[in-house]
Amino acid sequence: MNAVKTVADILAGAGVDVYTKMPEFGKGDKPDVLAVISAYEITAARNDGSLAARYCYITVSVMGFSETAVDNVKESVIALLESRRIRYSGCRYAEDELFPKEFRRDLEFVLVNSEQ
């Protein structure tokens, strides 16, 4: 399973530009709000060494120049992923002091794939 692609496909309905790596924009080309997805996976084993579960930790970074717009997208992303059983586990809030000020929300999710 490619969790990054799966989440990108789900977020296509969020009304925001979604990327699987941080793009470089030309001057004035950066969208007002964008999302960048990254993920990593760890496993859990049974006593006999067989795979018990895979845990995929997904980060969706929502960035933009309007705090209200970023927070609205944040809530949409949470609702979309939760509706697909990808569990929300927290958010880091950041903003820079440069002009124009940019707001960032790093949303954390967990997807568990239990092996039978």
Side-chain angles (χ1 to χ4, degrees):
M1 170 183 64
N2 183 338
V4 172
K5 182 180 179 339
T6 300
V7 170
D9 290 346
I10 293 168
L11 295 185
V16 63
D17 294 337
V18 177
Y19 301 92
T20 56
K21 64 179 182 175
M22 187 62 188
E24 291 192 28
F25 297 101
K27 186 173 182 170
D29 289 341
K30 191 170 187 179
D32 290 335
V33 179
L34 65 102
V36 179
I37 304 164
S38 61
Y40 69 95
E41 183 175 273
I42 62 172
T43 61
R46 294 185 179 89
N47 286 341
D48 66 2
S50 65
L51 184 64
R54 294 186 309 175
Y55 298 88
C56 187
Y57 295 90
I58 302 161
T59 302
V60 179
S61 299
V62 178
M63 296 163 263
F65 301 112
S66 163
E67 186 172 24
T68 301
V70 168
D71 287 336
N72 287 341
V73 170
K74 169 188 169 262
E75 294 304 321
S76 294
V77 167
I78 292 169
L80 280 168
L81 295 182
E82 281 276 329
S83 73
R84 299 293 288 273
R85 300 177 50 108
I86 300 173
R87 296 293 163 233
Y88 175 64
S89 61
C91 179
R92 288 185 306 276
Y93 292 79
E95 61 186 67
D96 64 27
E97 296 300 325
L98 302 174
F99 182 81
K101 183 181 265 190
E102 186 173 63
F103 299 89
R104 179 177 179 139
R105 307 295 182 252
D106 292 314
L107 310 170
E108 302 295 338
F109 297 88
V110 179
L111 176 60
V112 179
N113 181 11
S114 296
E115 301 294 323
Q116 298 300 324

